[in-house]
């Protein structure tokens, strides 16, 4: 059996840091409210002119270096993003060009905060089937560009960033399983208008701002992530105690704590980056993974549960032996 194994990780955060204190002077909010309700203290924001592809390229080069691979070794590129540089070409194609590799499949996956888990699950299938041997899988978003900075219910939540992994074919696990889901009926709870014009003369439909009924999303996220944890363990006939690390999407510390409780996992086995990074959408899971690999917490052989929930609704998880 062929598995997809993570052979390298990388990430990148823009230089500019926006603190809760700074937000206090622009919207009706407080550092205390943001920290207590979300766990966020600060987030990174892209510079003018900096794009999702710029962040993805930095994260990709760092992941390739850690895997001791060159761009020409890569035979598949998938970028999970909701903030592509352009409607087309795909950010993955722009990234491919920057990396100087040509011919291999390169495409974006749009699953909002679950984008990286979707990209990972798809790349896993390419590798299992023998269609690819070395995949570059990225989660990258500049969600700060999709915010109404006068709307305190959303603008305090998000940050920008990118994370990447190199996946390689291996006889040993690797990814044990990946689980992808969506339920399009929930669009009214979380969406961004805008996009391709629907009629002649129309520039775009609506304002391209994130609109979220946060409290309703919160409750569904907690329930749904609780269910997917059971699904993953059952599929692999594993117990909660078999897991070494939880690497959750970083939308809200209270959602993360609820999933950790469901797994009976102490918080020191959960990788938390939300305090410094906010919700970086598709980038949050690979960013958290890279942080914990580089600081030495995650070691080769550790069993990791990666999970995310986001707009769509989409949700997913992967059980990985690092
Ligand atoms: N500062 C101060 N007060 C605020 C702020 C703010 N930034 N934002 C909202 N409030 C107020 C509200 O107006 C409300 O006031 P009211 O009681 O007078 O009406 C009060 O705080 C409580 O608001 P709630 O929305 O009920 O607060 P809640 O505890 O639910 O926290 C939050 C809101 C942080 C958004 C939470 O609901 C959440 O994290 N939701 C899930 C987010 C998520 O997982 N999204 C999916 C991924 S994101 C993606 O895919 C793009």
């Amino acid at each position: 059996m062929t598995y997809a194994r993570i052979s390298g990780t990388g990430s990148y955060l823009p230089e500019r840091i926006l603190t809760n204190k700074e937000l206090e002077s622009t919207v009706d909010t407080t550092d205390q409210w943001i920290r207590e309700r979300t766990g966020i203290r600060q987030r990174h924001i892209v510079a003018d002119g900096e794009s999702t592809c710029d962040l993805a390229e930095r994260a990709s080069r760092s992941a390739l270096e850690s895997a001791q691979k060159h761009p020409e070794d890569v035979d598949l590129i998938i970028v999970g993003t909701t903030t592509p540089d352009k409607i087309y070409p795909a950010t993955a194609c722009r990234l491919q060009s920057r990396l100087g590799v040509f011919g291999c499949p390169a495409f974006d996956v749009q699953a909002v905060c679950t984008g990286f888990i979707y990209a990972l699950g798809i790349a896993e299938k390419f590798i299992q089937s023998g269609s690819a041997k070395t995949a570059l899988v990225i989660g990258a978003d500049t969600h700060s560009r999709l915010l109404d900075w006068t709307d305190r219910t959303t603008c305090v939540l998000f940050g920008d960033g990118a994370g990447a992994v190199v996946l390689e074919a291996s006889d040993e696990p690797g990814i044990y399983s990946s689980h992808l889901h969506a339920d399009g009926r929930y669009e009214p709870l979380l969406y961004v208008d805008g996009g391709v014009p629907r009629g002649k003369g129309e520039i775009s439909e609506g304002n391209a701002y994130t609109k979220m009924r946060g409290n309703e999303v919160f409750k569904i996220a907690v329930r749904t992530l609780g269910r997917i944890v059971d699904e993953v363990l059952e599929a692999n006939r594993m117990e909660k105690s078999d897991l070494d690390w939880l690497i959750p999407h970083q939308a809200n510390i209270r959602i993360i704590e609820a999933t950790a409780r469901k797994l009976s996992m102490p918080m020191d086995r959960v990788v938390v980056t939300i305090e410094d990074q906010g919700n970086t959408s598709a980038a949050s899971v690979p960013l958290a993974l890279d942080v914990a690999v580089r600081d030495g917490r995650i070691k080769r052989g550790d069993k990791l549960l990666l999970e995310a929930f986001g707009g769509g609704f989409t949700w997913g998880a992967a059980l990985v032996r690092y």
Side-chain angles (χ1 to χ4, degrees):
M1 167 139 183
T2 304
Y3 293 94
R5 187 179 149 269
I6 296 176
S7 60
T9 65
S11 61
Y12 179 73
L13 290 163
E15 276 173 34
R16 159 96 167 103
I17 290 172
L18 176 64
T19 62
N20 292 349
K21 278 276 168 211
E22 282 179 83
L23 282 168
E24 280 183 356
S25 62
T26 55
V27 280
D28 180 17
T29 192
T30 60
D31 173 50
Q32 188 186 0
W33 189 97
I34 302 171
R35 276 192 288 107
E36 285 178 6
R37 296 293 182 116
T38 72
I40 300 168
R41 190 171 51 90
Q42 62 171 48
R43 69 288 290 142
H44 292 248
I45 303 290
V46 276
D48 273 355
E50 199 172 26
S51 76
T52 296
C53 191
D54 294 328
L55 310 189
E57 183 183 356
R58 300 264 204 150
S60 299
R61 290 195 187 278
S62 159
L64 285 167
E65 198 182 321
S66 86
Q68 298 182 316
K69 288 279 165 190
H70 300 288
E72 55 273 23
D73 299 322
V74 170
D75 56 7
L76 171 68
I77 300 175
I78 311 180
V79 178
T81 188
T82 304
T83 48
D85 292 9
K86 303 185 173 200
I87 288 179
Y88 70 81
T91 304
C93 294
R94 290 167 64 86
L95 176 64
Q96 189 204 47
S97 167
R98 301 258 193 108
L99 295 175
V101 289
F102 310 103
C104 74
F107 57 91
D108 292 354
V109 176
Q110 208 258 48
V112 199
C113 296
T114 319
F116 175 78
I117 301 286
Y118 264 61
L120 192 75
I122 296 165
E124 180 206 7
K125 269 117 197 126
F126 267 76
I127 288 178
Q128 273 178 343
S129 70
S131 303
K133 286 207 158 22
T134 306
L136 188 53
V137 183
I138 300 123
D141 265 313
T142 48
H143 211 98
S144 67
R145 301 236 164 90
L146 295 180
L147 298 174
D148 171 356
W149 286 94
T150 65
D151 175 9
R152 68 176 184 172
T153 68
T154 51
C155 78
V156 304
L157 304 174
F158 294 92
D160 302 324
V165 301
V166 175
L167 274 189
E168 285 185 59
S170 166
D171 294 336
E172 303 202 345
I175 299 176
Y176 290 107
S177 68
S178 56
H179 305 256
L180 310 178
H181 296 282
D183 189 335
R185 288 173 298 181
Y186 287 103
E187 178 180 335
L189 301 193
L190 179 54
Y191 62 93
V192 176
D193 277 331
V196 180
R198 284 198 192 171
K200 265 195 201 148
E202 193 197 17
I203 292 170
S204 73
E205 188 204 338
N207 293 322
Y209 295 142
T210 300
K211 308 228 175 58
M212 178 163 70
R213 293 190 351 221
N215 197 265
E216 290 166 76
V217 178
F218 183 97
K219 289 177 194 149
I220 298 169
V222 169
R223 267 205 315 273
T224 307
L225 290 170
R227 275 205 315 273
I228 204 162
V229 160
D230 290 334
E231 179 184 330
V232 172
L233 291 173
E234 265 171 49
N236 292 283
R237 296 199 175 82
M238 282 192 195
E239 304 293 327
K240 296 172 184 176
S241 55
D242 292 322
L243 298 176
D244 295 303
W245 292 98
L246 172 64
I247 304 175
H249 171 49
Q250 314 277 323
N252 188 312
I253 189 68
R254 293 179 291 136
I255 298 178
I256 295 172
E257 286 166 350
T259 311
R261 270 197 303 277
K262 168 87 191 175
L263 283 166
S264 312
M265 206 172 227
M267 284 305 285
D268 62 1
R269 306 305 288 177
V270 182
V271 182
V272 178
T273 56
I274 190 168
E275 189 181 3
D276 295 330
Q277 301 178 4
N279 178 352
T280 54
S281 198
S284 85
V285 170
L287 265 163
L289 174 64
D290 188 48
V291 165
V293 165
R294 282 175 197 266
D295 69 20
R297 273 179 287 170
I298 293 180
K299 306 216 171 2
R300 282 282 165 210
D302 283 355
K303 292 196 186 73
L304 324 175
L305 179 65
L306 281 50
E307 49 86 340
F309 178 92
F313 285 157
T314 55
W315 63 101
L319 187 66
V320 175
R321 182 172 182 272
Y322 180 66

